Structures are given as C-alpha cells and as structure tokens.
Amino acid sequence: MSPDRPLGVFDSGVGGLSVLAELRRALPGEDFLYLADTAHVPYGARTDEDIRDLTARAVAALHARGAKGVVVACNTASAFSLTHLRERYGSGEGPFPVIGLVPAVKPAVAATRSGVVGVLATPGTLRGSLLQDVIRQWAEPAGVRVLTAVSADLVPLVESGRAESDEARAVLREVLTPLRDAGADQLVLGCTHYPFLAGSVRAEFGETFALVDSGAAVARHTRNVLCGAGLLREGGAGGSVTYLVTGDPERARPVITTLVGGAGQNTQVMQVST
Ligand code: DGL
C-alpha cells in the first residue's frame, strides 16, 4: 500500500471535522478523504446493530476509494464497531489501519482537582462498553467520580449549523447544570460534534469546566500508527481534503465550510452512497 494514498476519516456527520483539524495539524503531508454519513446521522439514538452496519458500510466505501487507513472520528461508531472492523481489516499495525476514539476520561482524571469529572455523550456512547472500560481503567483506581450527561438533541443542532444558538445553550444548560452542581471541574466532550459547542458551553457556564476532548491525542496516535505501518506521508504537497457526504451535498456544504473555518471559500462536497 502506498503512503501517497489519502487517509480516510469517518463520522456520522460533521462532528469528525473537529478531529480532522487536529489530524491536519499533526499530519501536514497527508491528503484526506472525509466521509460524513449525513443521510443517517444521528447515530446516537440507533440500535447497536444499525450503528455497526452503517459504520462498516462507510469504512468499506473509504477502502474502496483508495484510502490507506481510516480514523473513525466518532465515539458512537467506535463504541460498537472497532472490534469488527479490526477483525476485518487488520489491527492498528495491519495493512489497513483502523483507528478509533474513546472519550478522554484519562486526561480529565489526571487534571481534576475536585475529584468529579463530567462526561457529555450520545445515548449510544453511554451504552457502549468503551466508556465503561476507560472509567474502570482510569477513574476508579484514582477514586474519581464520573458523572454522565446525555442528549440526543445536540448532534442535530451542530449538523444544522446551530451550535451557537439559543436552543443549543438551553439544552446544554439543562443537561450540564447537574454536573456543575455536583462539583465537576472537567467536562469530557464524549462526541466529536461537541467541540463545536465549546462557545455555547462557555457562554452558559463560563470557566466552570475545563473542556477535554480526544482530537489531539488521536491525531498523535494516528501519526504513530502510520509511521509504524510505513504509511506516513511526509514531504509531499499534501494537505488536501475531499469531502464526501451520503445526504444532500447542498445542505452539508455551508455547514462544513463554516466548521472548517473556510468562510468565503467554495468547499467541494460530493455525494456518495455507502
Ligand atoms: N460525532 C459522533 C460521536 O462522536 C456523533 C454520533 C451521532 O451521530 O449521534 O459520537
């Protein structure tokens, strides 16, 4: 497999763009194929089987388009699919690396002063085993209490370009107030859509919580995996991103353009089926 091929990045929608930004910083020589399954977002309220099936189709579509590996930039998809995908495509060091996400409980546990960490996630991620695994691995031995908050409304708000709206603030106020009242000083953003809500969280809660996400850590890990697999591309022109969506590209284009900070640019968005 040639290192010159693009790296696939997948999310149920536009949330993975928060991870893509970190990947582009850490891997400036890479070209990227970003696939948003906008015809089926949100995944968070779907069944386990549905999430697994949609994720498998999306990863297969990236593989078929020549990606050299995939970053599953979605906590919900990772929670239900990583084992299956790795069985199918090989492990992180295999011929087609599949890299996933877990909520950033580890750094939040290391940073908390109050001993209470909040996790904001989709219903799917809360149900999946990956979150429970990291709580058992990092929070329990340190005696840190983890409180979870869930909402099925936040992903659709980000998808429709309303991350900075009164509606988003109202939802955040409702779901995060109990965490603040319980003394949480760290808020793990357990969904890749949520870094785009940082402004709204700050507007409601000021500096109450340090916001912690996994974007930078997964980008560093991806670099190591590509390096280990002989797939790292350095020195080339690199840096291009092809945006693929399964839903209406005209609907997705303005939201993608805003979230990648490309106001005024003509972002190319292509429709694909998975
Ligand atoms: N960005 C996805 C995540 O990290 C959102 C899941 C959804 O579509 O509900 O979980």
Side-chain angles (χ1 to χ4, degrees):
M1 175 95 66
S2 162
D4 289 344
R5 293 197 189 195
L7 179 64
V9 181
F10 159 67
D11 181 41
S12 58
V14 296
L17 296 172
S18 65
V19 178
L20 179 69
E22 299 291 347
L23 288 167
R24 293 185 78 184
R25 249 192 292 280
L27 299 162
E30 301 290 346
D31 292 319
F32 294 92
L33 271 179
Y34 182 91
L35 173 58
D37 193 6
T38 51
H40 302 107
V41 70
Y43 280 13
R46 290 178 178 275
T47 64
D48 305 8
E49 293 71 30
D50 231 10
I51 296 168
R52 202 172 296 132
D53 178 51
L54 290 168
T55 304
R57 282 163 48 186
V59 172
L62 286 166
H63 186 256
R65 285 175 174 264
K68 62 184 174 187
V70 167
V71 178
V72 180
C74 176
N75 291 87
T76 310
S78 294
F80 294 100
S81 306
L82 287 184
T83 313
H84 284 75
L85 291 170
R86 288 187 178 141
E87 274 166 20
R88 178 151 176 204
Y89 295 102
S91 70
E93 263 60 65
F96 182 81
V98 176
I99 295 149
L101 282 188
V102 289
V105 169
K106 182 184 173 186
V109 164
T112 182
R113 287 169 173 272
S114 67
V116 185
V117 162
V119 177
L120 177 62
T122 68
T125 296
L126 285 191
R127 211 172 56 238
S129 61
L130 288 184
L131 175 61
Q132 296 313 321
D133 289 349
V134 286
I135 291 174
R136 251 194 308 274
Q137 190 178 358
W138 302 108
E140 287 178 6
V144 168
R145 222 169 125 213
V146 176
L147 301 175
T148 55
V150 63
S151 170
D153 299 327
L154 292 169
V155 167
L157 284 166
V158 176
E159 285 294 316
S160 56
R162 288 178 289 162
E164 305 264 332
S165 64
D166 289 345
E167 294 131 285
R169 285 179 59 167
V171 174
L172 289 164
R173 193 181 316 133
E174 188 188 327
V175 298
L176 296 182
T177 295
L179 304 192
R180 181 199 59 199
D181 293 349
D185 63 349
Q186 308 288 313
L187 180 65
V188 176
L189 302 176
C191 167
T192 55
H193 282 73
Y194 298 168
F196 295 118
L197 294 163
S200 291
V201 175
R202 290 269 172 261
E204 277 303 311
F205 293 95
E207 300 300 317
T208 303
F209 310 112
L211 304 180
V212 193
D213 71 70
S214 353
V218 84
R220 279 195 302 275
H221 177 61
T222 302
R223 190 181 171 87
N224 290 339
V225 170
L226 291 181
C227 219
L231 290 173
L232 185 67
R233 183 173 188 236
E234 282 181 304
S240 77
V241 185
T242 303
Y243 296 99
L244 309 170
V245 296
T246 55
D248 180 0
E250 295 313 318
R251 239 184 115 210
R253 179 176 293 118
V255 182
I256 291 175
T257 304
T258 305
L259 296 183
V260 299
Q265 284 173 27
N266 181 21
T267 314
Q268 299 290 325
V269 180
M270 277 188 327
Q271 189 170 27
V272 294
S273 54
T274 61

